[in-house]
Structure formats: structure tokens, C-alpha cells
Amino acid sequence: MRRLTYLGHSAFFIEKDWDGILIDPFITGNPFANFDYKQKRITYILLTHAHLDHLGDAIAISKHTGAIIVAVVELANYCIEKGAKAMGVNIGANLKFKWGSVRFLQALHTSSNPDLPYGGVAASLLIDIDGTTIYHAGDTALMPDFAMIGELYNPYYALLPIGGYYTMGIEEAAIAAKMLFAMEVIPMHYNTFPNIKVNLREFIDLLDAQGQKCNPLKPNEYVEI
Ligand code: ZN
């Protein structure tokens, strides 16, 4: 069984056989999330950066489930200080797990929270599960790396922030989708807060005009990957 479930905002849950991999698990305070981690098998938690709408419940979930947080080293060390299990890596890492691999790539963003003035640099994640590639862009502006990532890794799914204000908006996200050569684009990081409200239809139309598929998952919807 291989499944990618959207939990709202930038949070996703990947299930692969006996592994459960959470990405940016912003559950508490996320108006769209309906996810009870106590009912799920969670083995890894991947974090793109330290902002609270991405770090989310990661530390509590790690403490409860024993799941290992994988994050840039400054953020990972902070999680360890707080009692979580974590491995600290850096941009450029290509990590192999029994369920797949994760590359830590750049994101054009910041990484901190009120309790952690410097959380290292922000990351994006290229996940490969049995040859299915999922690119989670984290929070980022439009950046030239998208062209390199598209050329080198040709991600099937691109999970792209479209809300603007804190990240790129719909026009830049459509350009990013083109640079990534993504087969299927799943928008994220929009409509959670008033200042990241967008007209989703406009994004769908932009992708449609360039011949790319948008799959706007509703919270708790999933795709079989
Ligand atoms: Zn952020």
C-alpha cells in the first residue's frame, strides 16, 4: 500500500507498507487537519523548516510514537533538546530508508520560531518511493533550483505553496510547475489564514493552459502513489 494524504496547509502523510511518514505535521491549530496521530503508525517525520505552521506537532508526535524527525541540523538539535528523536542533516543529503529515499534540497525561505532564533536554512524535499517521486517544496519563493530539480529528478508529484505573502503565489507556482516538469501538481499552503487566501480556480486554469494537471486535494483526501 502506498498512499499520499493531504492534511491541510503543508502537512502530508505518506503510508508505505508498515511505515508512516509525516511531512510538516501542523495539526494543532490547523483549521483543516483532522488527523489523530495516536491512531496511526508513524515512523518518520520530515521537516522543511522551523516555522510553527511546519514544525507543528512534530515534537509531541515523536515523543508519543518514537518516530524519528529528520531535519536540518539546527532544527533537529532543537527537537532533541525538547525530548524528541531526531537526525540532523543538511542541504545536499540523500538519505536512504527502507521505505524510500529523501533528498534535502534548497528552499528560498527562512527558518526560526519564537523559541529558536536560528533553525538553520529552510529545505525542500525530494522523496522517492519505489520510483515514484514526490517533490515537497516547503515554503519557498520561485527559485532557479526548480529547473535543476526538474532536469535531474523529474518529480511526478509537485507539492507547491501557492498562497503568496509568505511564499510564492499562484503565478510563480505555475512557473515552478513548468520548470519542474511535474506530471501532477498538488497545491498547498493556501487559504489557511486570511493573508494566504487565493482563488484556486486561477491556479488550475494557469496549469491547464500550460498542459499540466492540477490535483487540488481537499484535506484528508489522498492519492494512491
Ligand atoms: Zn515558513
Side-chain angles (χ1 to χ4, degrees), residues 49 51 53-54 109-110 139 189:
H49 64 292
H51 289 157
D53 58 327
H54 295 260
H109 195 64
T110 57
D139 276 0
H189 211 273

Side-chain angles (χ1 to χ4, degrees), residues 193-207:
F193 314 121
N195 52 5
I196 58 171
K197 277 233 181 313
V198 300
N199 181 348
L200 184 60
R201 188 72 244 170
E202 285 176 27
F203 185 61
I204 296 168
D205 288 346
L206 282 174
L207 286 188

Side-chain angles (χ1 to χ4, degrees), residues 171 173-179 185 203-213:
E171 280 130 13
I175 296 165
K178 195 191 278 185
M179 292 165 83
V185 177
F203 185 61
I204 296 168
D205 288 346
L206 282 174
L207 286 188
D208 199 41
Q210 61 194 40
Q212 283 185 298
K213 180 183 174 185

Side-chain angles (χ1 to χ4, degrees), residues 25-47:
F26 172 46
I27 311 294
T28 306
N30 174 349
F32 302 124
N34 177 19
F35 182 81
D36 183 0
Y37 62 81
K38 292 174 180 142
Q39 306 297 321
K40 302 281 182 184
R41 188 180 161 85
I42 298 159
T43 49
Y44 285 87
I45 302 166
L46 312 178
L47 298 179

Side-chain angles (χ1 to χ4, degrees), residues 74-94:
E74 288 84 356
L75 175 55
N77 287 344
Y78 168 78
C79 294
I80 291 167
E81 271 171 35
K82 299 286 176 191
K85 282 189 190 164
M87 53 188 281
V89 301
N90 220 315
I91 306 302
N94 181 17

Side-chain angles (χ1 to χ4, degrees), residues 9 53 162-170 189-199:
H9 203 57
D53 58 327
I162 65 165
Y165 202 85
Y166 303 112
T167 68
M168 57 189 177
I170 55 173
H189 211 273
Y190 68 102
N191 291 358
T192 324
F193 314 121
N195 52 5
I196 58 171
K197 277 233 181 313
V198 300
N199 181 348

Side-chain angles (χ1 to χ4, degrees), residues 45-212:
I45 302 166
L46 312 178
L47 298 179
T48 61
H49 64 292
H51 289 157
L52 295 179
D53 58 327
H54 295 260
L55 172 63
D57 302 82
I59 291 166
I61 296 170
S62 171
K63 283 182 174 177
H64 186 267
T65 62
I68 297 165
I69 294 171
V70 187
V72 165
V73 64
E74 288 84 356
L75 175 55
N77 287 344
Y78 168 78
C79 294
I80 291 167
E81 271 171 35
K82 299 286 176 191
K85 282 189 190 164
M87 53 188 281
V89 301
N90 220 315
I91 306 302
N94 181 17
L95 309 161
K96 307 247 196 292
F97 302 97
K98 75 174 190 306
W99 46 267
S101 69
V102 182
R103 281 188 165 82
F104 270 69
L105 302 169
Q106 287 209 100
L108 207 49
H109 195 64
T110 57
S111 180
S112 64
N113 67 49
D115 200 28
L116 179 68
Y118 177 65
V121 294
S124 61
L125 308 170
L126 193 278
I127 299 159
D128 186 318
I129 295 181
D130 296 339
T132 298
T133 41
I134 301 163
Y135 177 61
H136 187 298
D139 276 0
T140 187
L142 186 63
M143 58 175 177
D145 294 52
F146 289 136
M148 178 191 75
I149 294 164
E151 195 172 313
L152 289 180
Y153 309 122
N154 192 19
Y156 189 92
Y157 294 100
L159 321 182
L160 300 179
I162 65 165
Y165 202 85
Y166 303 112
T167 68
M168 57 189 177
I170 55 173
E171 280 130 13
E172 296 85 359
I175 296 165
K178 195 191 278 185
M179 292 165 83
L180 289 162
F181 301 112
M183 292 298 289
E184 202 166 314
V185 177
I186 300 174
M188 63 178 184
H189 211 273
Y190 68 102
N191 291 358
T192 324
F193 314 121
N195 52 5
I196 58 171
K197 277 233 181 313
V198 300
N199 181 348
L200 184 60
R201 188 72 244 170
E202 285 176 27
F203 185 61
I204 296 168
D205 288 346
L206 282 174
L207 286 188
D208 199 41
Q210 61 194 40
Q212 283 185 298

